[in-house]
Amino acid sequence: MTLPTAFSPGAFLAPAIDWLNANFHPFFALVTRVIEAVLGAFEGALLALPPWALIAVVAVAAFLAINLRAAILAGCCLGFCWLTGLWTGSMQTIALVAVAVAISVAIAFPLGILAARRPAIEAALRPVLDIMQTVPPWVYLIPAVMIFSLGRVPAIIATIVYGIPPMLRLTTLAFRGVPKDLKELGEAIGAKPGTILWKIEFPAATPTLLVGLNQCILLSLAMVVLAGLVGAGGLGAEVTRGLTRMEMGLGLRAGLAIVAVALLMDRLSRGALQQGRRWRRPGAAG
Amino acid sequence: MEISALIARFDEMVDNALFWLGDHAAFLFDFFRVVLEGLYDGALWLLELPPFYVVALAAGLLGWRVVGRGFGLGIAVALLACAAMGLWPETMSTLALVIAASIIALAVSLPLGVLAGLMPRLDRALTPVLDLIQTLPPYIYLLPSIALLGYGPATALVATVIVAMPPAIRLTSLGIRQTPHEFIELGRATGVTPAQMFFKIRLPFAVPSIMAGINQSLMMAFGMVVIAGIVGSGGLGETIYGAIRTLDIATSIDASIAIVILTMMLDRLTQGAARPRKGARK
């Protein structure tokens, strides 16, 4: 039951993508190489230490930065990843998420500040963000796969794009929520715009910014896991293998390792959030 | 290595446990599968009964009534475009999956949300569970369901229901809890029965929040249904999965356009359904 005339926007767009691939290949190859290099370096760093040493380092860092509970949780989660026999996959997933989140934040943070200053930019961005947040994550993978083919690069690009909206929204909200009297105080004592931004607005906006970071991390993790379908490697690939080959033991181990990674990232970023609140309090009082 | 031995033991245990379940509890899972697939088939049958232009027209009229004339015209044209791309059966089976999953999810989560709103202790017990469900990537919910229910729409439905429940539970309980104090006191002072208190005072105040929860649930369900293409749910998800694996660019673009059309339609329709009621009440 279809219309007699076939209509396919895809058939029109496919040649355009082919043309892009043919004529901009050096550019895409450059992007691919840069991303692969950064990811490779990050993964190499995570895998350079033996698992027990990395677990110890992370636990100590969590203890120093947050508290004992966070340290125990971090140790348990990473130890669990090790026990599932998927240490390499877990580290690949963590590296993908970390690089994607860093780039998402680097894009969303300045845009968010700009949108908080200029209502016109915010009005222009809002419908775009609305659409981006309603579209299911799968759809992000398709254009990335078309241009960068299968592998880690389309995965990370889709993840970056998917992680931008929550961070951008909450950055705008955070900077809009900075009390006016604080900014006026800065202007009255003749601080430079840069000083006002970093010394006054940024500390006041930190709690909301960290909420944005937490959401950005969790959405990125969901996307990285899903990207196992397009050959991104890591734990997502193991889940996909388990699902498609009905190797339930492997699938279950990968799923549990993902649970551990998700808990680790969520709790650490939330711990940082509470820490951020604690820093802010004396600052606001003094 | 001791870890590899441990892993082999674990995998064996999982396989054995699944075999055991398959031997001893097959009737239970078959029953679930029959119920779920029945619901899905029913929804699909209803959607495929009329020809595509009737469905598009009906959706257009609904959009006009609920949102506005431009939107109604837009979705009628967009659905006709889906049919023209040759994706009509897939579009309808995706919609049927979303509808079936949302019905189950809402049938569980609305009463649960109301109970949680009335009983703070239940709410406190549910919160960590909901947090966990929302923290984990949706993709992994396919694992337990494929292990127990096998390949097919029933698996997709189970995973979708899990993902769709938390927002509805949360926002329902929030809406029930947020009844203004004065009105509860007014109710007590005038001596209403508990049922009247609930239906005439608490529920009306909760409606906007509940509608927001239904909207979010539907959107989560939609995202999951598309992902569930990998376990053979049928519909647009499977079309895209197949097209990506064979790098068939034209089909994957068409299918993503159809997905975006459906997403926009469901999102705006449920948002639009929430708005006028809120306006009428205030």
Side-chain angles (χ1 to χ4, degrees):
Chain A
M1 258 203 317
T2 51
L3 288 182
T5 51
F7 159 76
S8 166
F12 286 106
L13 280 173
I17 304 247
D18 283 341
W19 183 83
L20 270 181
N21 276 334
N23 290 283
F24 283 85
H25 183 258
F27 173 68
F28 296 138
L30 181 73
V31 172
T32 305
R33 192 156 319 151
V34 170
I35 289 176
E36 286 280 357
V38 172
L39 260 182
F42 212 87
E43 254 182 56
L46 284 177
L47 289 170
L49 288 173
W52 53 268
L54 187 67
I55 294 171
V57 168
V58 171
V60 169
F63 176 66
L64 291 179
I66 306 168
N67 56 29
L68 187 63
R69 264 184 70 191
I72 293 172
L73 187 100
C76 288
C77 286
L78 281 175
F80 187 79
C81 290
W82 187 27
L83 274 182
T84 57
L86 296 166
W87 179 254
T88 315
S90 310
M91 290 306 112
Q92 280 171 347
T93 297
I94 291 175
L96 269 170
V97 173
V99 173
V101 166
I103 301 177
S104 288
V105 170
I107 297 172
F109 185 67
L111 268 180
I113 294 179
L114 215 62
R117 301 264 156 98
R118 303 263 147 79
I121 294 180
E122 209 223 339
L125 279 176
R126 192 179 294 151
V128 180
L129 293 181
D130 277 342
I131 292 181
M132 282 172 80
Q133 288 193 310
T134 35
V135 170
W138 235 131
V139 173
Y140 288 87
L141 282 170
I142 292 155
V145 166
M146 280 179 224
I147 292 178
F148 294 99
S149 154
L150 301 176
R152 289 191 294 185
V153 179
I156 203 166
I157 286 177
T159 309
I160 291 166
V161 177
Y162 191 58
I164 288 177
M167 189 68 209
L168 214 170
R169 249 174 222 233
L170 282 160
T171 309
T172 310
L173 192 70
F175 278 88
R176 180 97 34 81
V178 174
K180 243 206 186 101
D181 40 347
L182 278 182
K183 279 188 253 177
E184 274 167 13
L185 176 75
E187 276 157 27
I189 57 174
K192 276 177 267 164
T195 320
I196 294 181
L197 176 65
W198 290 113
K199 298 267 151 112
I200 296 176
E201 289 185 77
F202 186 72
T206 308
T208 316
L209 284 178
L210 283 168
V211 173
L213 187 66
N214 177 282
Q215 285 200 10
C216 184
I217 290 174
L218 289 180
L219 287 175
S220 299
L221 179 66
M223 192 69 173
V224 163
V225 170
L226 184 61
L229 278 173
V230 299
L235 294 172
E238 308 293 341
V239 175
T240 308
R241 200 167 299 150
L243 277 178
T244 48
R245 292 197 203 151
M246 296 295 278
E247 287 176 24
M248 282 307 141
L250 174 67
L252 195 62
R253 274 190 286 128
L256 290 174
I258 290 172
V259 174
V261 170
L263 281 180
L264 174 78
M265 294 186 152
D266 182 50
R267 291 299 133 82
L268 286 191
S269 59
R270 259 191 228 191
L273 174 66
Q274 274 147 16
Q275 212 62 20
R277 290 221 177 98
R278 215 166 303 154
W279 285 336
R280 193 192 157 197
R281 218 169 289 138
Chain B
M1 250 331 260
E2 48 192 315
I3 285 188
S4 58
L6 204 69
I7 291 163
R9 273 284 301 281
F10 179 81
D11 285 5
E12 209 184 299
M13 264 165 56
V14 169
D15 282 344
N16 288 341
L18 285 176
F19 278 130
W20 188 86
L21 274 180
D23 286 345
H24 293 82
F27 65 94
L28 194 64
F29 296 118
D30 282 346
F31 170 72
F32 272 127
R33 187 160 56 220
V34 168
V35 169
L36 292 169
E37 285 183 356
L39 198 60
Y40 164 70
D41 286 341
L44 188 61
W45 179 78
L46 263 185
L47 286 171
E48 286 196 324
L49 192 62
F52 65 88
Y53 45 86
V54 175
V55 176
L57 201 67
L61 282 177
L62 193 66
W64 183 4
R65 292 279 305 150
V66 173
V67 186
R69 193 186 303 170
F71 179 75
L73 203 65
I75 61 172
V77 170
L79 281 178
L80 287 180
C82 288
M85 288 190 291
L87 291 169
W88 188 254
E90 286 86 351
T91 311
M92 284 306 108
S93 72
T94 303
L95 202 55
L97 272 174
V98 174
I99 290 172
S102 306
I103 289 174
I104 304 173
L106 293 179
V108 177
S109 55
L110 292 184
L112 204 57
V114 167
L115 279 182
L118 295 175
M119 294 193 290
R121 202 181 303 163
L122 180 65
D123 193 60
R124 243 174 286 137
L126 276 177
T127 304
V129 180
L130 299 180
D131 275 343
L132 188 68
I133 294 182
Q134 290 189 315
T135 307
L136 304 183
Y139 191 39
I140 66 172
Y141 295 117
L142 288 171
L143 276 170
S145 40
I146 200 174
L148 298 174
L149 293 173
Y151 200 74
T155 301
L157 279 178
V158 170
T160 309
V161 167
I162 297 177
V163 173
M165 280 196 313
I169 296 180
R170 257 172 217 252
L171 284 163
T172 306
S173 122
L174 182 75
I176 296 285
R177 250 181 294 135
Q178 275 182 340
T179 320
H181 246 279
E182 305 85 46
F183 284 84
I184 295 179
E185 276 164 22
L186 179 74
R188 281 208 194 109
T190 51
V192 294
T193 61
Q196 281 175 324
M197 170 77 104
F198 178 72
F199 285 105
K200 305 259 157 145
I201 298 177
R202 282 187 184 263
L203 204 56
F205 277 107
V207 165
S209 179
I210 293 176
M211 288 306 290
I214 293 177
N215 170 273
Q216 283 199 16
S217 277
L218 263 175
M219 292 297 105
M220 299 297 286
F222 195 84
M224 191 64 212
V225 160
V226 177
I227 293 171
I230 186 179
V231 296
S233 64
L236 293 166
E238 208 172 334
T239 312
I240 287 204
Y241 182 56
I244 275 202
R245 282 199 303 180
T246 51
L247 287 178
D248 177 355
I249 296 180
T251 310
S252 55
I253 294 180
D254 286 352
S256 357
I257 292 174
I259 287 177
V260 174
I261 288 173
L262 270 187
T263 318
M264 291 292 135
M265 184 179 106
L266 288 177
D267 183 39
R268 294 293 125 80
L269 278 181
T270 46
Q271 276 185 8
R275 219 169 291 134
R277 275 186 222 173
K278 199 164 125 193
R281 242 169 252 285
K282 279 188 180 164

